[in-house]
Amino acid sequence: MDRKLSAILAADVVGYSAQMERDEAGTFERLRARRKELFEPEIARHHGHIFKLMGDGLLAEFGSVVDAVECAVSLQHALAERNAAVSEDHRIRVRIGINLGEVIVEGEDRYGEGVNVAARLQQLAEPGGICVSAKVAKEVEKKLAFGFEPMGQQKLKNIAEPVQAYRVLLDPTVAGKPMAVNRHPRFRRNLAVAIGVLVVAVGLAAAWWRPWEPPLPPTALTANAKADTRPSLVVLPFDNLSDDKAQGYLADGFTEDLTTELARVPGLFVVSRNAASTYKDKETKPAEVAAALGVRYILEGSIRRVGDDMRINAQLIDGSTTGHLWAERFDGQWTDVFALQDKVVVSIAGALKLRLVSGQGKADVAGGTRNPAAYEAYLQGMEIYNRRNTPDEFAQAVRFFQQALELDPNFGAAAASLAWAYWDMDGPRVKALAFSESVAFYNVYKYLGEAAKHPSPSYYQLVASLLVREHRSDEAVAVMFKAVALDPSDPLNYVGLAEALNFNGRPNEARDYLVAANRVDPGGNDHRYYQAGLAEFGQGRFEEAVDYLERIDLQSPDPWPKFYGLQVLVSAYAHLGRSDQVAAYSDRLRNVMLERKDGGANQLVTQRYFVFKNPADIGRLLDGLDKAGLPELPEGVDLDAKDRLTGSEIRSLILGRDLRGGGAWIDKGTSWVQQNFLCDAFPKVQTTCGAIFRNPAGTPERRNEYTAVFRFDRFEFSTVK
């Protein structure tokens, strides 16, 4: 049996069966023409060969993974150009998956897991998109001008171990970038639209469950479903059976809302929408889903919309027996969508013997809407916003959110989405909307003000992130408790709460909520590994911190877990006295900091992002970095070290005094001493720290007795006695 390492490309036509049903002969001829005119010559041009043809797809082998990725991108661009010239029902769109792995050679055919993974990755790709494994991304990221966006660990059908997947960024405006840079270390999420309040009790004598409590005891970050005795449920992605496949956003939005609403039912545990989404468009066995997600019950169904008529089919399955507990069909008008959702939730509560005791409209308490037109515009915006979008598409999503808010000025989730959109803006996106960056920043707080009138979980998430930046972690913790209470199924709420608690000096509690995040969304990811490592580090448990931080994928295009995690990892290894690891990871840290363009690797950068409440916590981190040799100040500081003020001197000479000079630095804000640094937090501005030096030649009249050195700037000033 011969084996070899190969790059395998798997391609499959989207909607092939539907096209064949409409026009069998025409579809066959169009597909054959595309294969002869495009696929075969393009694959050959990139030194590959097709070893298997299926009715609606193909498998090809390449000796070079670079050739495989270049070929896939060329195919998708060429198909997009051809599709632009034909009607919608005649377009041929494909999904492509690429894997690098060992294959079994048998004549002209290829078998084995290397082939199987490529085929499964293809199923994860978007229509017209490309999905690759981590091995592929790692091999080509520095050789090709394409960016890669992480999709997280994916559980693939009939593949034993989860596979880290990446989406290839085809947009030329992001070519060469590892991923779109967010200004905060978090994952983007689908925003739940709250509809219909349900207050449910578990039997007559059941106790209320406080949804903000972690659903599992803090025993480990790996979830143990058996420790949770509540009824547990996953809402699998509803199928879109509408003739207009572009209305898939309705099924996605309906699934999201059901997940959120059911998660608010006291006594019922619901897995996150993110975890359930990995099963979209896949044939799965109920027992396998239940085992993988640690739940007993599975809700699945479909939604069909024809004009204003809607039909929703849903069924509840017991994963332990695969028996159907309940199945029902709901018919109504699109204007009845909220009532239909309420009926589904009430019916499930009844099937699980959860008793409805009272209810009232929830639109106001969770930022939702009762306006069907506003709801639909919002869902259209979210469908675009949550995929890898071009700047023009991003602008389109913003316009949908604005339309939703115009249709319902009380639609808090739409306002929060607009705030998030303006917060996530980069240069090309700002240009697409014809705004300046200052206007975009202004709009963040403008729409947060609108969202505050009818707060949603996404509103609280952004507010907490901004509060942490401003060194206000007490308030951030309180805000994130509200977010968790509104949507206990969202792992980002728990991770956001863990972040606030870590910086608030409560790392043991942070760990509790990371357990909760892993329960609603099984499987770790780099952001959780970083937060878990930070929680262990905050308790002086350096060995345990290293264990989590070592799991961060340093090859991932996402810069934030590396940026944060490497600083903690280097400090932890320094505290442990492991010089070899300190040296190795210090080099990687310097490279990541240079990529961030934050002034190189120094402790002023660290203090800008690690906004601990307690001096001991930042001291622990800086002491380790000091031992590791990370400089305190940027390169090129030409001031004499003997003129630098100590922390105690800053307290006595600077704090509490009026300052004169200093340009833009002197402003109204909160100042404090952090080791031998002066730190400041201003409203709506990230925390900044600097070193203070005496100026031997300075005078009060010239307002230059002292010099403050920050990451990029320095200011001369004097104090008023």
Side-chain angles (χ1 to χ4, degrees):
M1 183 183 297
D2 295 328
R3 295 176 180 269
K4 68 174 181 177
L5 186 68
S6 294
I8 302 298
L9 181 152
D12 184 75
V13 177
V14 178
Y16 176 77
S17 298
Q19 289 194 44
M20 288 292 285
E21 184 177 351
R22 289 196 303 267
D23 180 12
E24 182 176 274
T27 299
F28 178 81
E29 287 300 323
R30 285 191 295 274
L31 184 57
R32 184 171 66 173
R34 288 288 184 269
R35 189 175 72 237
K36 293 294 183 182
E37 299 168 3
L38 176 61
F39 280 81
E40 291 180 356
E42 196 67 20
I43 290 171
R45 188 171 71 86
H46 287 87
H47 314 293
H49 72 278
I50 298 171
F51 63 87
K52 184 173 290 185
L53 286 172
M54 291 81 76
D56 58 345
L58 60 83
L59 293 170
E61 180 185 37
F62 295 80
S64 162
V65 70
V66 172
D67 284 339
V69 175
E70 285 188 323
C71 179
V73 173
S74 295
L75 287 171
Q76 293 293 28
H77 283 317
L79 280 171
E81 291 174 3
R82 285 166 168 77
N83 285 336
V86 300
S87 61
E88 178 69 29
D89 57 345
H90 284 177
R91 292 176 180 175
I92 300 293
R93 295 190 299 167
V94 302
R95 297 184 176 96
I96 295 178
I98 304 175
N99 182 46
L100 176 64
E102 189 175 73
V103 299
I104 300 170
V105 179
E106 185 173 301
E108 292 299 314
D109 214 340
R110 302 292 183 264
Y111 302 95
E113 188 166 285
V115 178
N116 295 340
V117 170
R120 300 306 181 200
L121 289 170
Q122 168 269 125
Q123 296 172 354
L124 297 178
E126 298 173 347
I130 305 167
C131 179
V132 303
S133 65
K135 293 179 182 178
V136 172
K138 182 178 179 180
E139 281 292 320
V140 305
E141 65 174 346
K142 295 181 180 179
K143 303 173 184 177
L144 296 177
F146 308 122
F148 297 86
E149 182 181 46
M151 299 171 66
Q153 294 279 348
Q154 300 289 332
K155 177 65 177 174
L156 305 181
K157 186 176 181 180
N158 297 327
I159 305 298
E161 297 296 326
V163 174
Q164 177 74 31
Y166 290 85
R167 182 182 293 107
V168 179
L169 305 180
L170 300 174
D171 177 19
T173 64
V174 295
K177 297 182 181 179
M179 67 179 295
V181 177
N182 292 325
R183 297 186 178 93
H184 48 89
R186 64 190 308 119
F187 292 113
R188 192 168 292 159
R189 65 175 293 267
N190 290 335
L191 301 173
V193 182
I195 38 114
V197 168
L198 295 171
V199 182
V200 181
V202 186
L204 291 173
W208 288 98
W209 172 64
R210 291 184 293 169
W212 53 87
E213 292 181 347
L216 285 179
T219 54
L221 285 183
T222 301
N224 177 5
K226 294 181 180 178
D228 195 338
T229 58
R230 288 172 290 154
S232 53
L233 173 77
V234 60
V235 183
L236 292 182
F238 271 49
D239 294 326
N240 171 35
L241 300 184
S242 303
D243 292 335
D244 181 4
K245 298 306 177 184
Q247 290 197 8
Y249 63 85
L250 296 178
D252 291 341
F254 193 86
T255 307
E256 175 91 14
D257 294 339
L258 280 182
T259 301
T260 303
E261 290 308 309
L262 287 166
R264 292 192 182 104
V265 173
L268 178 64
F269 170 78
V270 181
V271 167
S272 73
R273 171 79 175 101
N274 184 59
S277 67
T278 61
Y279 296 94
K280 186 175 182 178
D281 298 328
K282 294 181 181 178
E283 293 184 6
T284 53
K285 296 180 179 179
E288 293 175 355
V289 175
L293 299 180
V295 298
R296 179 171 179 180
Y297 302 105
I298 299 165
L299 177 66
E300 60 183 19
S302 62
I303 181 170
R304 179 190 296 274
R305 180 183 177 188
V306 180
D308 288 331
D309 294 326
M310 284 189 65
R311 169 167 292 178
I312 298 168
N313 288 291
Q315 56 183 351
L316 187 65
I317 301 170
D318 187 332
S320 63
T321 65
T322 69
H324 286 65
L325 299 178
W326 163 86
E328 196 163 338
R329 186 180 75 191
F330 303 87
D331 292 322
Q333 299 291 304
W334 169 244
T335 52
D336 300 327
V337 60
F338 307 113
L340 292 174
Q341 288 177 330
D342 288 350
K343 288 179 181 178
V344 175
V345 175
V346 172
S347 298
I348 294 167
L352 295 177
K353 296 182 173 58
L354 299 170
R355 188 169 63 87
L356 181 69
V357 293
S358 65
Q360 66 180 41
K362 186 173 281 182
D364 288 339
V365 298
T369 183
R370 285 283 177 179
N371 184 317
Y375 178 56
E376 183 168 9
Y378 174 82
L379 293 183
Q380 289 175 291
M382 289 307 303
E383 192 274 332
I384 299 171
Y385 186 81
N386 282 294
R387 67 174 186 242
R388 182 75 248 172
N389 51 64
T390 66
D392 287 341
E393 288 175 324
F394 180 85
Q396 185 182 12
V398 169
R399 286 191 286 271
F400 274 123
F401 294 148
Q402 290 171 334
Q403 179 184 349
L405 195 59
E406 289 168 2
L407 289 166
D408 182 357
N410 295 322
F411 195 171
S417 294
L418 281 167
W420 268 113
Y422 283 106
W423 181 245
D424 277 342
M425 280 196 182
D426 55 16
R429 289 175 169 179
V430 169
K431 184 177 180 181
L433 283 167
F435 284 134
S436 66
E437 291 191 6
S438 60
V439 170
F441 186 74
Y442 167 81
N443 281 341
V444 172
Y445 290 92
K446 170 187 173 182
Y447 287 110
L448 274 181
E450 293 298 312
K453 300 173 185 176
H454 305 278
S456 62
S458 57
Y459 160 77
Y460 288 128
Q461 288 176 3
L462 182 52
V463 167
S465 182
L466 296 173
L467 287 170
V468 167
R469 282 165 45 96
E470 296 178 28
H471 208 260
R472 297 163 64 187
S473 57
D474 286 342
E475 297 166 74
V477 169
V479 164
M480 284 312 302
F481 273 127
K482 295 178 181 179
V484 172
L486 282 180
D487 189 356
S489 71
D490 185 357
L492 284 181
N493 285 336
Y494 296 113
V495 176
L497 179 54
E499 178 185 47
L501 288 166
N502 268 327
F503 287 125
N504 198 240
R506 298 153 68 180
N508 58 325
E509 295 176 60
R511 195 165 179 272
D512 292 357
Y513 292 100
L514 291 170
V515 173
N518 273 43
R519 177 67 177 101
V520 298
D521 186 19
N525 59 51
D526 288 347
H527 286 274
R528 291 185 215 168
Y529 293 148
Y530 154 61
Q531 289 294 341
L534 186 61
E536 299 292 354
F537 185 89
Q539 299 173 78
R541 296 154 57 98
F542 303 124
E543 289 281 6
E544 291 81 355
V546 164
D547 180 57
Y548 283 116
L549 296 167
E550 284 272 19
R551 303 181 198 183
I552 295 173
D553 180 9
L554 298 181
Q555 304 302 319
S556 168
D558 186 353
W560 287 110
K562 294 181 289 187
F563 175 79
Y564 280 86
L566 280 171
Q567 294 182 69
V568 183
L569 181 60
V570 168
S571 182
Y573 270 133
H575 280 295
L576 293 169
R578 298 181 187 171
S579 56
D580 289 345
Q581 287 91 339
V582 167
Y585 284 107
S586 291
D587 287 340
R588 297 183 183 185
L589 173 59
R590 279 188 284 271
N591 291 335
V592 170
M593 282 193 164
L594 286 172
E595 290 172 6
R596 287 287 311 128
K597 298 180 180 179
D598 260 313
N602 60 74
Q603 294 180 31
L604 294 185
V605 176
T606 299
Q607 293 177 86
R608 176 176 173 82
Y609 290 93
F610 286 87
V611 282
F612 291 105
K613 175 184 178 181
N614 298 329
D617 291 326
I618 187 61
R620 184 183 302 108
L621 180 61
L622 295 179
D623 288 345
L625 293 175
D626 212 37
K627 293 176 183 178
L630 187 75
E632 288 190 319
L633 303 178
E635 292 182 7
V637 175
D638 54 359
L639 300 176
D640 197 328
K642 67 180 177 58
D643 292 324
R644 183 176 173 185
L645 270 59
T646 65
S648 59
E649 289 174 320
I650 293 173
R651 288 188 184 90
S652 63
L653 297 175
I654 307 297
L655 286 189
R657 306 291 185 94
D658 289 334
L659 307 183
R660 294 290 183 266
W665 169 58
I666 295 177
D667 200 348
K668 293 181 179 179
T670 302
S671 300
W672 69 96
V673 174
Q674 198 158 271
Q675 292 203 326
N676 291 325
F677 300 91
L678 175 64
C679 297
D680 300 277
F682 305 116
K684 301 182 182 180
V685 177
Q686 196 162 5
T687 294
T688 185
C689 296
I692 308 298
F693 291 80
R694 289 186 182 86
N695 183 359
T699 65
E701 294 76 21
R702 294 164 59 190
R703 297 179 179 178
N704 66 344
E705 293 175 282
Y706 301 97
T707 300
V709 177
F710 297 99
R711 291 177 310 129
F712 298 114
D713 302 308
R714 63 174 65 185
F715 301 101
E716 293 182 336
F717 67 97
S718 290
T719 61
V720 178
K721 304 299 184 183

